[in-house]
Amino acid sequence: MNMENVKNACSAGASQGSTGVSGSGPSGRLYACDGPAAAVLDKRGAVLRWTKTAEDLTGFRAEAVCGRPAQELVADLPDDLRDATEMPASGRVRLWHQCGDTVDVTFRTTKVGSAEFLVLAAPTHHVTDHEQGAALLRALSAQDRITIAVHDTDLSTVQTNATAGLLDGRPVQPGARLSDVLCTKDAENLEAVLRQVLETGAPVIRRNQQVSWRHDPARQQALSLSAFRLEDARGHPTGVAALYMDNADQMRARRNLDLAREVAEQVGGSLDVVRTAQDLADVLAPAFGDLAAVDLAHSVFGGEEPSKQLGGGAMGNAALAPATAGWPAGIKRGEPVPPLPDHPLLRSFRRGETVVFGLDNFIAMVSDPQLVEYLVPKDAHSVMVAPLHARGLTLGAITAWRCGRSDPFTEDEADLMRQIASRGALAIDNARRYTREHRAAVALQQRLLPPATTDTPAAETTGVYLPAGDGAEISGDWYDAIALPSLRLALVAGDVIGHGMLATATMGRLRAAIQTLADLELEPDEVLARIADLVQRLAAEAPPDHHDVIGATCLYAVYDPVTQRCAIASAGHLPPVLVRPDGTAEVVGISPGPPLAIGGLPYETTTIDLEPGSVLALCTNGLIERSDRDIDQGLRCLTEALAASCRPDRALDETGRALLANLTDQAPRDDATLLLARTRAIPAEDTAHWDIPADPAAVCKARAWATRQLTTWGLEDLLFTTELIVSELVTNAIRYGRQPAELRLIRHDVLVCEVTDSSGTQPRLRRAATTDEGGRGLFLVAQLGQRWGCRHGQNRKTIWSEQLIECPR
């Protein structure tokens, strides 16, 4: 047996330190042995002693090997060992196995005594695994952010690379438990995890947990725990190996991502400037800073652009988080932000940069003890200020404070704040621009509406308009109360399809058209028919993509205080609600026609009697529509609310506000209008009627009757002009009209003279020539009275004239 074989056999065993090893031959068969194989050789290489583990490795028993050269056990001795003259210290060879296979082993030799050598051998792949494992363990042990701990079955620490400063600044001694290092609750949580690994054998990978140190409970650290069970050669548990990694960077990165996601999800959902600012502050505190404030330029609150030279004193606080706790007493939401002295860091902010101050630097910059006391929260040690910059405008600033034992702000966090400020600024600017447009549309809408209250002989009216809330655009809802001749009153409620400025403009055109048609004194159904024609023309003139959004619904009613009757027609609009003087209320039954955009179908007029003191309510669907109820339910709610609110002793405008608050407890999705009219009646003693006979001599009788009536009313100063007006109107009725005919006088703040006949002929005012014998009648009427006109009814017409009573009773 030469020395090469001996070298190879020895080095394998010496390198392997495990308690159980195995090797494999070319056939793939595994040969196991309990520990490294050992043999003792003499100086010539003959085997003197052969251990049990050597038998397990090669299959040869001791009596078959002892006394024989070790070279006989080596297959294919390498050339570098074949000619060796000394026992090699280590090497690698293939040994024969009793079954005829070979076993690749690594060996190491040690001289014992003067003429004997101890040879230890182990399968080469186990030696390699052991060396790599040992190198890995050394590398892990050298990492200052990875703490390796081996715990026994009682979870006591057997071995660890933790040194003073790695955990809580105290060295970990063998036999220590986690509760000696961590707070009790955190130690119990981790031991529960390790115990589960020990019992089940299932490893735990990267379990994140915040822990506090026993000797410094206020200090927290983010750890990531990975653990696996340790077993002996027979698979019995011997303990748990745990890797505790500092997870601060990962936790910080995850927190930053979560914060950015929260900003994207939570900020910008409202189109209210202050609400958007508060959402931004709420996201930042306490996730990013202990306290957060959002300050905006004063003009931004109203939707206007901020000044180009934005700075302290030009801003007011829009949001605080938390709302009250932790802030100095002087800092309150809505209060102006005091100006700060000029400073390089402040100039950096004005250039759009995010700046970070330590407390000392901030105090040095402010330099005013009273201002420091006003601005700096208790226990604050670090502050970050970021400008809110969007679309070339600096809208304001975000200020975040950290207090107590929290970590100071870092430059990396300044980058995150810049991103958050950029997104927040866009959301606030969107809200600002919406506020500006919304206010402009509301102002236009309100300018187009009539006065909120009117007081006429026919009725007292009040109108209430509520714009849509929560970001909805202004639409084209409107109401109107139009004083008509003969003391009558027209009541209008309408709702234009669509939203925005287009709907508002359409509403203005329709309201103007209805007022013009009202002056023509047409019947309600005729007014709606002509407005429907107008809407169809507007739709035809609109761009193609707007054809379907030009339309409206409308309710038109005319109340006559003399007859105490009201004529109503509807173009697809909600019916009115009537509240009688006794407090009972009901929805008026009408026959609605199609909306105004749909032509070709007639409208129908419904006439009802109204007692004096009755309240007629007209509204748009924004007042009663809700997601949880339909139109019929909404009308019932309105009827019940009117019955409860409309009392004779209660002012009508107060009733309107109470109804609006009761029916719109949440911001409506659509505009809402409500028009209330409390009717009046002209007393019977203030009206007089005379039937006109078909006799030219009736003109003289009519003058005499009118003279007696005016004398009874004490209107002698109007006798002359009234006689002329009556004479001309009665003459025309007898000459051009048809029977029956009637003369009516009405006294109020004006004296109304009406002549009604059954002819549909339209009278025409013309200027007679000098030689003409007629044609001056209506000209005289127009000159003598304050105004005159003609209205047509079914198979009848009425010519009227009004004279102002200088001292009405």
Side-chain angles (χ1 to χ4, degrees):
M1 177 178 183
N2 62 27
M3 300 307 296
E4 296 176 357
N5 298 341
V6 177
K7 290 179 184 177
N8 292 342
C10 292
S11 64
S15 301
Q16 177 63 35
S18 62
T19 58
V21 296
S22 63
S24 63
S27 64
R29 182 183 301 174
L30 291 174
Y31 308 109
C33 56
D34 189 9
V40 178
L41 307 182
D42 62 15
K43 62 181 180 179
R44 297 188 307 274
V47 179
L48 300 178
R49 286 178 292 278
W50 191 255
T51 64
K52 180 66 170 58
T53 54
E55 292 181 5
D56 294 338
L57 182 62
T58 63
F60 293 108
R61 299 178 65 84
E63 54 267 25
V65 176
C66 289
R68 299 176 59 184
Q71 185 177 1
E72 295 180 2
L73 296 174
V74 179
D76 301 327
L77 188 66
D79 293 340
D80 59 338
L81 296 180
R82 190 181 303 277
D83 299 329
T85 58
E86 296 181 358
M87 185 72 71
S90 63
R92 177 177 174 181
V93 296
R94 288 189 296 114
L95 299 180
W96 287 109
H97 193 275
Q98 185 185 22
C99 68
D101 286 340
T102 58
V103 182
D104 191 353
V105 299
T106 299
F107 68 89
R108 179 167 294 178
T109 63
T110 303
K111 188 174 183 180
V112 292
S114 60
E116 294 181 352
F117 295 88
L118 173 64
V119 182
L120 298 176
T124 299
H125 75 276
H126 275 283
V127 174
T128 303
D129 290 345
H130 174 73
E131 291 175 347
Q132 292 176 344
L136 176 62
L137 185 59
R138 286 192 300 272
L140 287 174
S141 299
Q143 300 298 315
D144 58 357
R145 296 183 63 180
I146 301 178
T147 300
I148 304 174
V150 177
H151 304 279
D152 61 15
T153 53
D154 292 331
L155 300 183
S156 296
T157 303
V158 177
Q159 198 172 11
T160 180
N161 69 331
T163 60
L166 284 180
L167 295 176
D168 66 342
R170 300 167 182 268
V172 180
Q173 303 295 335
R177 301 184 66 88
L178 290 175
S179 57
D180 297 327
V181 179
L182 303 177
C183 290
T184 302
K185 184 178 180 180
D186 294 335
E188 290 175 352
N189 291 338
L190 287 178
E191 285 186 350
V193 175
L194 297 179
R195 190 171 292 107
Q196 183 179 7
V197 172
L198 186 64
E199 293 173 354
T200 64
V204 170
I205 306 298
R206 298 183 65 181
R207 185 181 188 274
N208 297 322
Q209 182 163 339
Q210 289 282 121
V211 297
S212 300
W213 307 115
R214 178 180 176 184
H215 300 286
D216 189 5
R219 176 186 165 211
Q220 290 191 332
Q221 184 172 356
L223 293 181
S224 175
L225 169 65
S226 297
F228 55 91
R229 187 168 71 181
L230 299 177
E231 300 174 350
D232 60 16
R234 298 173 180 80
H236 297 154
T238 61
V240 179
L243 279 70
Y244 303 96
M245 289 177 284
D246 184 351
N247 202 32
D249 289 344
Q250 291 85 344
M251 293 293 289
R252 188 179 299 109
R254 180 172 298 177
R255 184 200 65 181
N256 293 348
L257 288 175
D258 291 343
L259 191 60
R261 189 193 73 249
E262 285 293 319
V263 171
E265 292 178 353
Q266 302 298 328
V267 180
S270 171
L271 287 174
D272 179 80
V273 171
V274 174
R275 178 69 259 174
T276 302
Q278 188 62 54
D279 290 341
L280 181 58
D282 290 340
V283 170
L284 289 173
F288 185 75
D290 297 298
L291 301 170
V294 178
D295 304 319
L296 299 177
H298 293 301
S299 56
V300 172
F301 289 91
E304 302 303 323
E305 292 187 355
S307 169
K308 299 298 183 181
Q309 298 296 325
L310 180 63
M315 296 190 293
N317 179 260
L320 297 173
T324 55
W327 292 100
I331 296 181
K332 296 180 181 178
R333 182 167 160 175
E335 293 292 323
V337 177
L340 297 177
D342 192 28
H343 189 273
L345 287 176
L346 191 60
R347 291 195 291 271
S348 297
F349 164 79
R350 289 171 177 166
R351 290 195 300 269
E353 300 176 11
T354 299
V355 292
V356 178
F357 299 90
L359 181 60
D360 293 339
N361 291 336
F362 186 80
I363 293 174
M365 181 192 75
V366 174
S367 70
D368 183 348
Q370 291 184 343
L371 192 56
V372 170
E373 184 178 357
Y374 177 84
L375 293 175
V376 179
K378 183 180 179 181
D379 297 331
H381 59 75
S382 181
V383 60
M384 182 182 294
V385 184
L388 291 167
H389 193 76
R391 300 184 177 98
L393 302 174
T394 302
L395 308 174
I398 306 174
T399 305
W401 291 90
R402 284 187 178 169
C403 310
R405 303 179 68 91
S406 56
D407 296 333
F409 288 114
T410 65
E411 287 301 324
D412 291 340
E413 289 174 320
D415 291 337
L416 174 63
M417 176 61 95
R418 275 189 284 272
Q419 299 174 24
I420 293 173
S422 176
R423 183 178 290 272
L426 283 175
I428 291 175
D429 194 50
N430 288 338
R432 177 194 68 81
R433 298 173 74 182
Y434 168 77
T435 299
R436 182 185 61 192
E437 299 300 328
H438 189 268
R439 288 190 174 186
V442 169
L444 175 61
Q445 180 88 331
Q446 292 176 338
R447 295 294 187 277
L448 293 175
L449 290 175
T453 61
T454 64
D455 194 349
T456 67
E460 169 197 3
T461 70
T462 185
V464 185
Y465 169 69
L466 181 65
D470 289 340
E473 292 180 330
I474 296 300
S475 61
D477 291 16
W478 86 95
Y479 61 86
D480 215 341
I482 307 170
L484 300 178
S486 301
L487 309 182
R488 297 175 307 138
L489 179 67
L491 303 173
V492 186
D495 186 355
V496 173
I497 295 174
H499 297 84
M501 301 297 286
L502 176 62
T504 301
T506 302
M507 179 270 286
R509 298 176 74 174
L510 294 184
R511 180 170 177 252
I514 289 177
Q515 287 184 325
T516 301
L517 293 174
D519 285 340
L520 296 178
E521 301 186 79
L522 302 176
E523 291 295 314
D525 56 340
E526 180 66 19
V527 170
L528 293 183
R530 296 197 180 190
I531 292 297
D533 293 340
L534 172 62
V535 171
Q536 292 181 66
R537 287 199 299 273
L538 294 178
E541 295 170 0
D545 56 338
H546 287 168
H547 284 174
D548 296 336
V549 296
I550 301 295
T553 64
C554 184
L555 184 77
Y556 186 83
V558 175
Y559 173 65
D560 188 342
V562 176
T563 63
Q564 301 173 33
R565 308 196 78 192
C566 183
I568 308 170
S570 171
H573 201 81
L574 297 174
V577 177
L578 172 63
V579 184
R580 297 184 180 86
D582 60 5
T584 60
E586 66 177 359
V587 177
V588 178
I590 60 175
S591 299
L596 295 177
I598 303 174
L601 295 176
Y603 297 96
E604 182 177 337
T605 298
T606 301
T607 302
I608 61 173
D609 294 322
L610 297 180
E611 302 175 57
S614 299
V615 174
L616 197 64
L618 287 68
C619 70
T620 56
N621 57 10
L623 184 67
I624 63 173
E625 274 190 344
R626 293 291 180 274
S627 58
D628 57 346
R629 68 189 185 200
D630 57 22
I631 293 292
D632 292 336
Q633 292 173 324
L635 279 173
R636 284 195 294 271
C637 291
L638 175 61
T639 303
E640 294 170 359
L642 283 165
S645 301
C646 289
R647 300 190 302 269
D649 59 344
R650 190 177 192 181
L652 206 58
D653 57 346
E654 180 183 346
T655 301
R657 290 193 298 270
L659 282 169
L660 211 61
N662 182 33
L663 295 172
T664 57
D665 52 353
Q666 55 182 348
R669 295 175 298 174
D670 195 2
D671 287 15
T673 58
L674 175 65
L675 176 64
L676 300 177
R678 180 174 283 145
T679 62
R680 294 167 174 157
I682 302 299
E685 60 268 21
D686 289 337
T687 63
H689 303 264
W690 188 67
D691 293 331
I692 302 174
D695 181 2
V699 175
C700 181
K701 296 179 181 180
R703 287 198 301 268
W705 175 83
T707 298
R708 290 193 301 271
Q709 188 62 52
L710 263 62
T711 301
T712 302
W713 286 342
L715 301 177
E716 290 84 356
D717 55 334
L718 296 179
L719 284 176
F720 177 72
T721 56
T722 303
E723 284 183 354
L724 289 177
I725 291 172
V726 167
S727 178
E728 293 299 330
L729 294 182
V730 171
T731 298
N732 285 343
I734 295 173
R735 181 177 299 176
Y736 304 110
R738 293 200 302 266
Q739 293 295 314
E742 178 190 68
L743 169 63
R744 184 172 72 168
L745 297 178
I746 306 172
R747 178 183 64 164
H748 197 265
D749 53 349
V750 294
L751 176 65
V752 181
C753 179
E754 295 180 342
V755 173
T756 302
D757 65 63
S758 300
S759 170
T761 305
Q762 174 70 32
R764 183 169 60 90
L765 178 66
R766 60 190 180 91
R767 185 180 297 274
T770 304
T771 58
D772 288 344
E773 296 182 358
R776 298 176 179 83
L778 288 181
F779 178 79
L780 287 174
V781 171
Q783 296 300 311
L784 295 173
Q786 185 181 22
R787 61 175 182 164
W788 76 279
C790 177
R791 64 176 176 271
H792 289 266
Q794 190 172 10
N795 300 321
R796 58 186 293 171
K797 75 172 185 295
T798 298
I799 304 176
W800 54 268
S801 172
E802 289 183 359
Q803 301 175 76
L804 182 65
I805 298 177
E806 294 184 1
C807 297
R809 62 179 182 81

